[in-house]
Amino acid sequence: MVFLQPQTSREKYLHPHSAAAPHEKRFNATSSQERLMSPSLVTIPLQHSSHASSSKITSTISNKTSPSNPSSTSWPGHPRTPPRKPQPRIDEHVLALSVTITLAILVLIGVPLGAILPKKYLVPLPVNILVPFYIYPDAGAWDRLFEACIKHPDTNFTVILSIDNGPGTTVWPAGIYINPIKRLNTLSNVQAIGYVDTNHASRDREAVLKEIALYAGWNNSGIAISGIFFDRTPTEDVNDARAYLKNVSATVRHLEGFLKPEIVVHNMGKVPDENITGYHADVTVVFDGEYGELPDRKVLREKLRGLKGRREDYGEVVHSVPRTLSRGGVRKIVNRARRNVGWLFVTDRMGDNRYEWYSDRWEEFLDLTW
């Protein structure tokens, strides 16, 4: 890109005959004027016959108005300069149609509207990052997480921690976790929550409540967290599932030890029945599955309307994204999700240990969430 030196107001409005004008330009302009006003160009002999005078006048005027005469064409404002041809008008309908087609083509090939349209025409749909983060904190193992949170200060990260498929059995986690969790708590755009499995409400309720209490007790060691991620929660009100969810979720909100405001996440994996959502979770994961099983955006929207929630109440977790998928393909996942949900996680890892290390496209995914 070439950047032109902008004209100062003095240069921009400088009169061609000003004494401050550059010498060369002033000389040329003055010379043109002198040639126009010079008597030698309009010499009309007074002592000749009328025929000769007529011939002389005709010859002189012809020379003055000839297109090759620079004195009549050097100034655009000269009174005898031929009028300019009118410029053809552009049909506004044709222009609007052209712009529409161009935008449609750019969107189809994966160019986001945010890169095309001015910000004043865009409705912001921010995406919060919901990170299942089960990486053991060996030296430097959590650095990419810290770096990402620092690089994207305007993005909210909710980091799901799991020591041993939950908080473990001891009052506090192993000492190796203490400093990394403390560092997470120093980042203003990060909140950590603990993992608890419900096994579709079939897991013993007392066992679930005990794990919630263990997480709340971390506050005594200076590593307090903000809430609980309930995994595999039921999607239908069967076998008193609704009362089960209400009980365990209310425990998080009323138990001392969690940072305020507490956050409760239900991972239902798909859009649940409306009657199971009577006790409102802060976030409900309405898709947790492989990339190839992503629901159609319009179908998902229609199902979510029945729940009567806001976009910010829902999330998606997408795994097994093909590593051959282009950057534009990853952008499509993000842009399709942001229309329906406010929380998202995308990884190319697969298998049971897919959340025990970073996706190869971790940083790329975050860059595309803007």
Side-chain angles (χ1 to χ4, degrees):
M1 181 179 294
V2 179
F3 293 90
L4 300 179
Q5 181 68 27
Q7 290 179 312
T8 64
S9 58
R10 182 170 179 266
E11 293 170 332
K12 185 175 181 181
Y13 299 105
L14 202 59
H15 192 281
H17 305 301
S18 167
H23 176 74
E24 182 179 354
K25 293 182 179 179
R26 186 172 70 249
F27 175 79
N28 289 340
T30 305
S31 299
S32 299
Q33 187 180 30
E34 289 174 352
R35 285 196 297 272
L36 276 171
M37 305 305 295
S38 174
S40 63
L41 296 178
V42 197
T43 303
I44 303 176
L46 301 178
Q47 305 272 327
H48 296 284
S49 68
S50 60
H51 175 76
S53 299
S54 172
S55 175
K56 182 67 174 179
I57 293 171
T58 302
S59 175
T60 304
I61 294 176
S62 175
N63 289 337
K64 283 177 61 181
T65 58
S66 171
S68 62
N69 189 337
S71 64
S72 64
T73 59
S74 58
W75 292 350
H78 193 280
R80 286 187 294 278
T81 299
R84 295 181 180 179
K85 294 182 180 180
Q87 296 296 324
R89 296 187 62 182
I90 299 176
D91 191 311
E92 294 180 357
H93 296 288
V94 174
L95 178 61
L97 180 61
S98 302
V99 171
T100 302
I101 293 175
T102 301
L103 290 176
I105 293 173
L106 290 173
V107 170
L108 284 175
I109 64 177
V111 179
L113 284 176
I116 306 170
L117 298 177
K119 290 185 177 180
K120 65 180 180 179
Y121 297 120
L122 300 175
V123 176
L125 295 174
V127 174
N128 303 299
I129 311 302
L130 184 65
V131 190
F133 192 75
Y134 311 148
I135 298 175
Y136 189 79
D138 286 318
W142 287 24
D143 285 353
R144 286 175 69 183
L145 174 64
F146 297 138
E147 291 166 2
C149 296
I150 294 170
K151 181 181 177 181
H152 300 275
D154 296 327
T155 300
N156 296 319
F157 292 78
T158 296
V159 180
I160 308 164
L161 302 176
S162 178
I163 307 303
D164 184 12
N165 201 32
T169 57
T170 59
V171 176
W172 298 307
I176 195 170
Y177 282 92
I178 303 298
N179 286 334
I181 295 176
K182 283 184 176 180
R183 185 176 178 187
L184 274 182
N185 287 341
T186 65
L187 301 174
S188 61
N189 59 330
V190 178
Q191 56 184 357
I193 60 177
Y195 174 92
V196 172
D197 185 22
T198 70
N199 194 17
H200 309 290
S202 65
R203 189 176 177 213
D204 180 67
R205 190 179 309 186
E206 293 302 317
V208 171
L209 295 176
K210 182 179 179 180
E211 289 191 350
I212 296 172
L214 282 173
Y215 280 120
W218 286 8
N219 185 46
N220 297 324
S221 59
I223 54 171
I225 60 176
S226 298
I228 297 295
F229 174 88
F230 290 108
D231 195 18
R232 298 197 296 171
T233 54
T235 59
E236 301 175 346
D237 188 10
V238 178
N239 299 325
D240 207 21
R242 180 179 178 184
Y244 181 103
L245 280 182
K246 180 178 180 179
N247 179 253
V248 298
S249 300
T251 300
V252 177
R253 292 198 170 115
H254 296 94
L255 192 63
E256 292 293 330
F258 291 109
L259 297 174
K260 307 293 182 181
E262 305 91 351
I263 179 172
V264 174
V265 181
H266 291 170
N267 182 16
M268 296 187 170
K270 64 179 184 178
V271 179
D273 291 347
E274 183 180 359
N275 61 351
I276 196 70
T277 59
Y279 189 84
H280 186 67
D282 297 294
V283 180
T284 298
V285 177
V286 295
F287 177 78
D288 181 2
E290 298 181 4
Y291 165 79
E293 299 174 353
L294 270 169
D296 179 79
R297 176 173 59 85
K298 294 182 180 179
V299 172
L300 178 61
R301 179 182 298 174
E302 288 302 316
K303 290 182 177 180
L304 291 178
R305 281 179 181 170
L307 301 182
K308 302 175 182 177
R310 306 169 304 161
R311 188 186 71 90
E312 295 82 2
D313 298 333
Y314 307 117
E316 289 185 340
V317 176
V318 185
H319 62 79
S320 306
V321 174
R323 294 181 178 175
T324 57
L325 190 68
S326 67
R327 181 181 178 89
V330 177
R331 181 185 286 114
K332 286 182 180 179
I333 298 176
V334 175
N335 289 342
R336 179 170 61 178
R338 77 166 74 245
R339 296 170 183 261
N340 292 321
V341 304
W343 302 79
L344 181 64
F345 181 73
V346 175
T347 179
D348 58 4
R349 291 179 60 81
M350 56 187 72
D352 293 339
N353 65 346
R354 55 183 172 268
Y355 304 130
E356 295 179 9
W357 195 248
Y358 301 93
S359 165
D360 289 344
R361 313 185 77 159
W362 163 244
E363 288 82 5
E364 180 182 44
F365 158 59
L366 296 177
D367 289 341
L368 294 173
T369 58
W370 49 280

